[in-house]
Amino acid sequence: MLKMDSHIHSEYSPDSNSKIDDILKVAKNENLDVIAISDHNTVDGTAEVLQKTRNTDILAIPSIEISSCNGHILGFGCEENVPRDLSPQDTIDRIHDLGGLAIIPHPYCFYRHGLLCKSDYKDLKIDAIEIKNARFIVGYCNNKAKKLSNKENIPGLGASDSHYWKFVGDCYSKIECEKDIDSVLKAIKKGKVEAHGKGTSNIKLSKYLFEKNFLKKFD
């Protein structure tokens, strides 16, 4: 089985300053086979990582995290930008038109724009949800997502949602497929995935946010 982190942010996201090269170093150290740079409302990070992983052991999947009017949706497999602020189903339709999967990140986390806090999953043609997102405090939102995954047989993924390169791979998925983009997308769709990993240390995360948002004012 392959080891995949499907939700990583780079410096192309406004709330991250992670360089692609640093992300790739950690991905290699964490023995990740598959990664996706899922930046907020842009595929610029995807374009860079696709170029830098050519002829390497790491497979990069195109991706983007889109801000729909009700919350965030990953366009997993998309190499083109999808407009923000559309309705959730319009966003999902655009993703599917581009040949991607609509994956709901941190679906029940209201303070991070979890889509299922405002939208009913029954009204949406979603392909998978995150059930083990590394950025949690007590784990309630992950547990609720896991229950939904089990109840409705929706494929469940693990992902770091890393906004700082040192946290890449904290949570991840094991996926049963060949090492190419099409096989990865098909395997997720068929539910051939398992969520694994640990939560990002809240102490380390707080330290990072303090350095990023406070100390930089004195640089």
Side-chain angles (χ1 to χ4, degrees):
M1 297 183 83
L2 302 179
K3 186 177 180 182
M4 175 181 72
D5 189 344
S6 52
H7 187 176
I8 302 169
H9 292 273
S10 77
E11 62 182 334
Y12 294 98
S13 286
D15 52 358
S16 173
N17 57 11
S18 297
K19 304 288 187 184
I20 299 292
D21 288 341
D22 290 328
I23 290 170
L24 291 174
K25 288 175 186 175
V26 177
K28 184 176 181 180
N29 290 338
E30 293 292 324
N31 296 313
L32 290 170
D33 301 293
V34 183
I35 65 170
I37 302 299
S38 303
D39 284 316
H40 293 291
N41 303 303
T42 180
V43 293
D44 289 348
T46 272
E48 182 176 340
V49 78
L50 289 175
Q51 188 273 326
K52 288 187 172 179
T53 52
R54 287 190 188 126
N55 304 314
T56 72
D57 291 333
I58 294 177
L59 172 67
I61 307 291
S63 191
I64 179 175
E65 184 170 8
I66 307 147
S67 300
S68 80
C69 66
N70 277 5
H72 292 175
I73 304 172
L74 293 185
F76 195 71
C78 295
E79 291 190 62
E80 298 178 27
N81 288 329
V82 174
R84 60 176 299 160
D85 301 322
L86 300 176
S87 73
Q89 191 53 55
D90 283 345
T91 303
I92 290 170
D93 288 343
R94 296 288 188 103
I95 291 168
H96 289 161
D97 287 345
L98 292 172
L101 301 182
I103 298 173
I104 311 306
H106 43 77
Y108 290 108
C109 190
F110 71 91
Y111 59 89
R112 285 194 287 141
H113 308 287
L115 181 70
L116 301 189
C117 295
K118 293 183 177 181
S119 296
D120 189 335
Y121 69 91
K122 294 177 182 178
D123 298 329
L124 305 173
K125 297 178 181 178
I126 62 178
D127 299 299
I129 61 174
E130 288 180 355
I131 62 172
K132 207 169 182 64
N133 182 292
R135 294 182 62 203
F136 65 85
I137 298 174
V138 295
Y140 169 80
C141 297
N142 279 341
N143 290 334
K144 190 172 181 180
K146 185 176 181 180
K147 287 180 181 178
L148 175 63
S149 173
N150 292 336
K151 177 185 174 184
E152 300 294 340
N153 198 29
I154 301 171
L157 301 175
S160 69
D161 195 359
S162 169
H163 287 65
Y164 182 40
W165 54 273
K166 288 186 178 181
F167 302 149
V168 169
D170 279 356
C171 279
Y172 58 91
S173 301
K174 287 186 177 179
I175 180 166
E176 184 182 345
C177 65
E178 299 298 318
K179 201 172 182 179
D180 63 75
I181 293 173
D182 189 53
S183 294
V184 170
L185 297 181
K186 288 180 178 177
I188 294 173
K189 187 81 171 174
K190 293 178 180 178
K192 295 183 177 181
V193 288
E194 300 173 358
H196 294 270
K198 64 184 188 302
T200 293
S201 166
N202 287 310
I203 294 174
K204 291 181 180 179
L205 180 59
S206 297
K207 181 176 181 294
Y208 159 67
L209 292 173
F210 176 75
E211 292 174 348
K212 175 177 177 289
N213 298 317
F214 182 73
L215 292 185
K216 71 177 183 179
K217 296 178 182 179
F218 302 95
D219 289 345

